Amino acid sequence: MLHHLSLGTADLDLARGFYDPVMKAVGLSRTLDVEDAVGYGAGITVFSLNLPADGQPASVGNGVHVAFEVESRAAVDAFYATALAQGGTADGPPGLRPAYDAHYYAAFIRDPDGNKIEALTFAAP
């Protein structure tokens, strides 16, 4: 059972400023804020951004991304708009992804560190 997922960041202050509103758009709030990490969840921390423990620069994994399931297409749209407004980079606008499923509606962004984040739903319009 998956408990939580962490991504690296080079700047926790920048990560907080970006993720506080973006996570709110997918129904999560800040649950952890310590010297080397900030985390989000709905009760317990399920997603966090951490300064790398080895002291080396954070880097983006090729092919790695985090997907948050939301309840509606409007929530996917809100995630995308919020992420872009907070300095994220577009990596796939909101829309159907029929190659995955006829009802798979998703959007992809890159956070300020370059991590790929997705919001998705299977809800009908």
Side-chain angles (χ1 to χ4, degrees):
M1 175 61 70
L2 182 66
H3 182 271
H4 70 274
L5 179 79
S6 301
L7 297 177
T9 184
D11 185 330
L12 282 173
D13 290 333
L14 184 61
R16 282 182 198 95
F18 178 81
Y19 278 101
D20 282 357
V22 171
M23 292 294 95
K24 183 177 180 182
V26 298
L28 302 178
S29 60
R30 195 185 310 170
T31 54
L32 174 73
D33 198 349
V34 296
E35 182 179 334
D36 61 349
V38 60
Y40 300 87
I44 64 165
T45 301
V46 296
F47 175 72
S48 67
L49 293 302
N50 300 60
L51 297 174
D54 64 4
Q56 298 299 311
S59 61
V60 178
N62 187 19
V64 173
H65 80 276
V66 178
F68 296 95
E69 188 170 3
V70 296
E71 294 195 15
S72 68
R73 291 180 181 189
V76 171
D77 297 344
F79 157 85
Y80 188 76
T82 301
L84 293 178
Q86 295 302 315
T89 304
D91 201 30
L96 287 170
R97 304 304 196 270
Y100 302 130
D101 183 274
H103 300 288
Y104 196 110
Y105 186 88
F108 301 86
I109 60 96
R110 296 277 178 169
D111 75 7
D113 286 297
N115 295 304
K116 189 173 186 176
I117 313 286
E118 172 187 4
L120 70 102
T121 188
F122 291 95

